[in-house]
Amino acid sequence: RNTGQVHAEMGELHPPMEDFLMCAVCLETFKEPVTLGCNHSFCSDCLHGYWDQNNTRICPVCRRKSSKGLIIVNFALKELCISFSDKQTLEDRASVCSTHPEVPPLFCTDEVHLLCPVCEVSEHRGHTVVPVEQAERELKEQLQSQVETLRKNRAEAQALEQIYRDTQRHAHRQAELCERNIRAEFLNAHMFLKEEEELRLSSLRQEQSRQAQSMAPQLDRIRETLASLEQNIQELEKQLEKKAEDFLLSYNPAQSPKEPPECLPLGPRQLLNQFSPPLELPDNTDRFSKKVLVLGSEGFRSGTYVWEVEVGDHPHWVIGLAKKSVERKEEPVFIPEIGIWCVGFYNNKYFASCGTLSIKMHPQRIKVQLDCDRRTVSFYDSSHMSHIYTYNNCGYEKLFPFFGLGPSDANCQTKGIRICLDPARGHV
């Protein structure tokens, strides 16, 4: 074996230096080391903390009781620990330059590179070279700025995620509410039809009873007539069986019975309608924020379409057409310049984009007629088809049915408006 092998084997047999400088309590390099009479050393704070915790003055390693009254710092061991720590620092710095480990490195901001100020400074002439502490501070400030930006982006993304979750939950609640409304409407319709069925059957039974009572006397007279006819027939048959002399002597002509009375006929009746109350909805980009306004789900670009809206005696409403791009977050202005062609009723006055309309009779239903090819939309009173107002040059953008509703009052019977299909065309 050579000397290197022996040293290597000896190195394996002896623990490294830091093991001799490690406190047995905190397992770190000594800080303010003290040594007991048993020659075991500990950090001053660690030893006294151990004694206070266990309420005894024994060595944490060998359990021997300490006889020293005053424990002082072992300055020789302390200096050794400081020297060892400085050496470790120099070894860490040696990764930048093993030739000059004692020289603090610099940082080139142009190439983002640590450099030795002795060996590499000539290679970075004209570059911005700063101390490591300055580079650390500036780069950390940049990273901190990036962290703040990312946190802001994260907060915005979380807020957007929350909006979508709220919208998704609302869509689910809205679907459930619509389902309940549909079921309730059909249940009401079934109940109404059941009541109507019972009413008509009761009316039918009353009519049957009335007709039966009115026909009873006629049946009695018919029965009397039948009995009389039967008697006459029998008498005539007896006469027909007689011989000529007896037949001629007893001949008596029969009397014709009265005509039986005629019967009376029957007949039927009719139905109604209903609507659901408006829903309270959260805000999103497609919803009108300032007023209760809504667009139809289907838009029109070509062809002719007709539908009716039942407004009844509701005190505040507006109906017509609008572009999909119409502004929805500001206070609406019902004029063609912003993409709305409509008529409405507000404060006991009818209006259009031209101003107040002169309408003598209050229409209960208004017919809307859209001609996309001629780019016109007209409004009529459905009861007698009197013309209310017509817009020309409605533009070439796709138009959507437009509806608005204001607050009702206790005096009006109509609490909402109802959209009706045009039976002649079946559109909308």
Side-chain angles (χ1 to χ4, degrees), residues 86-309:
D86 292 343
K87 183 181 177 182
Q88 289 294 105
T89 304
L90 289 175
E91 288 178 356
D92 293 339
R93 288 181 176 177
S95 60
V96 177
C97 178
S98 59
T99 308
H100 308 93
E102 73 285 351
V103 180
L106 297 176
F107 186 78
C108 177
T109 59
D110 294 332
E111 296 186 5
V112 192
H113 175 65
L114 278 172
L115 58 91
C116 175
V118 179
C119 301
E120 302 179 86
V121 70
S122 60
E123 300 175 7
H124 295 268
R125 288 177 181 172
H127 294 177
T128 302
V129 178
V130 298
V132 172
E133 294 77 8
Q134 179 182 344
E136 178 188 14
R137 183 176 65 254
E138 293 176 353
L139 292 178
K140 283 186 176 180
E141 288 176 356
Q142 293 178 14
L143 290 179
Q144 185 64 33
S145 177
Q146 293 178 11
V147 168
E148 294 299 327
T149 301
L150 291 175
R151 285 176 178 170
K152 181 180 178 182
N153 293 341
R154 180 181 65 183
E156 292 176 354
Q158 289 173 342
L160 184 61
E161 179 189 24
Q162 187 62 40
I163 289 174
Y164 276 99
R165 285 181 178 176
D166 291 343
T167 303
Q168 193 175 41
R169 282 195 294 268
H170 170 72
H172 180 69
R173 291 195 301 267
Q174 189 178 38
E176 290 181 341
L177 181 59
C178 288
E179 180 179 350
R180 288 198 297 270
N181 287 341
I182 290 172
R183 293 185 183 279
E185 288 178 0
F186 274 91
L187 178 61
N188 291 336
H190 292 161
M191 293 176 62
F192 170 78
L193 292 175
K194 184 66 176 177
E195 293 173 357
E196 187 70 13
E197 176 188 17
E198 293 298 328
L199 181 63
R200 293 190 182 190
L201 290 175
S202 175
S203 176
L204 177 62
R205 286 190 287 269
Q206 291 177 3
E207 183 67 16
Q208 284 179 322
S209 175
R210 185 188 64 79
Q211 291 186 356
Q213 291 176 1
S214 65
M215 290 192 304
Q218 298 181 29
L219 286 172
D220 291 341
R221 288 196 295 272
I222 291 173
R223 292 190 184 99
E224 292 177 0
T225 302
L226 287 173
S228 175
L229 288 173
E230 184 68 25
Q231 183 178 0
N232 290 338
I233 290 171
Q234 292 176 1
E235 291 178 356
L236 291 175
E237 287 177 345
K238 288 180 180 179
Q239 290 184 16
L240 290 173
E241 292 175 355
K242 292 180 179 181
K243 294 182 179 180
E245 293 84 1
D246 294 335
F247 170 73
L248 293 175
L249 289 173
S250 62
Y251 174 76
N252 185 20
Q255 296 181 351
S256 300
K258 296 181 179 179
E259 291 292 329
E262 296 182 356
C263 299
L264 301 175
L266 313 169
R269 317 237 190 293
Q270 60 176 11
L271 294 173
L272 240 161
N273 62 351
Q274 66 266 6
F275 59 89
S276 14
L279 303 177
E280 189 171 333
L281 307 172
D283 185 34
N284 64 36
T285 55
D286 291 334
R287 183 158 290 113
F288 291 91
S289 298
K290 302 295 183 180
K291 298 291 183 182
V292 182
L293 303 171
V294 67
L295 295 185
S297 61
E298 181 181 358
F300 311 109
R301 196 188 298 274
S302 62
T304 301
Y305 303 89
V306 178
W307 63 93
E308 290 185 356
V309 182

Side-chain angles (χ1 to χ4, degrees), residues 33-48:
V34 294
T35 304
L36 298 178
C38 59
N39 291 323
H40 289 127
S41 299
F42 308 94
C43 298
S44 178
D45 291 343
C46 294
L47 178 62
H48 286 89

Side-chain angles (χ1 to χ4, degrees), residues 13 16 27 52 55 123 146 204-205 217 229 234 260 282 367 371 417:
L13 293 174
L27 302 179
D52 293 340
N55 197 22
E123 300 175 7
Q146 293 178 11
L204 177 62
R205 286 190 287 269
L229 288 173
Q234 292 176 1
K367 178 170 286 189
D371 190 334
I417 60 176

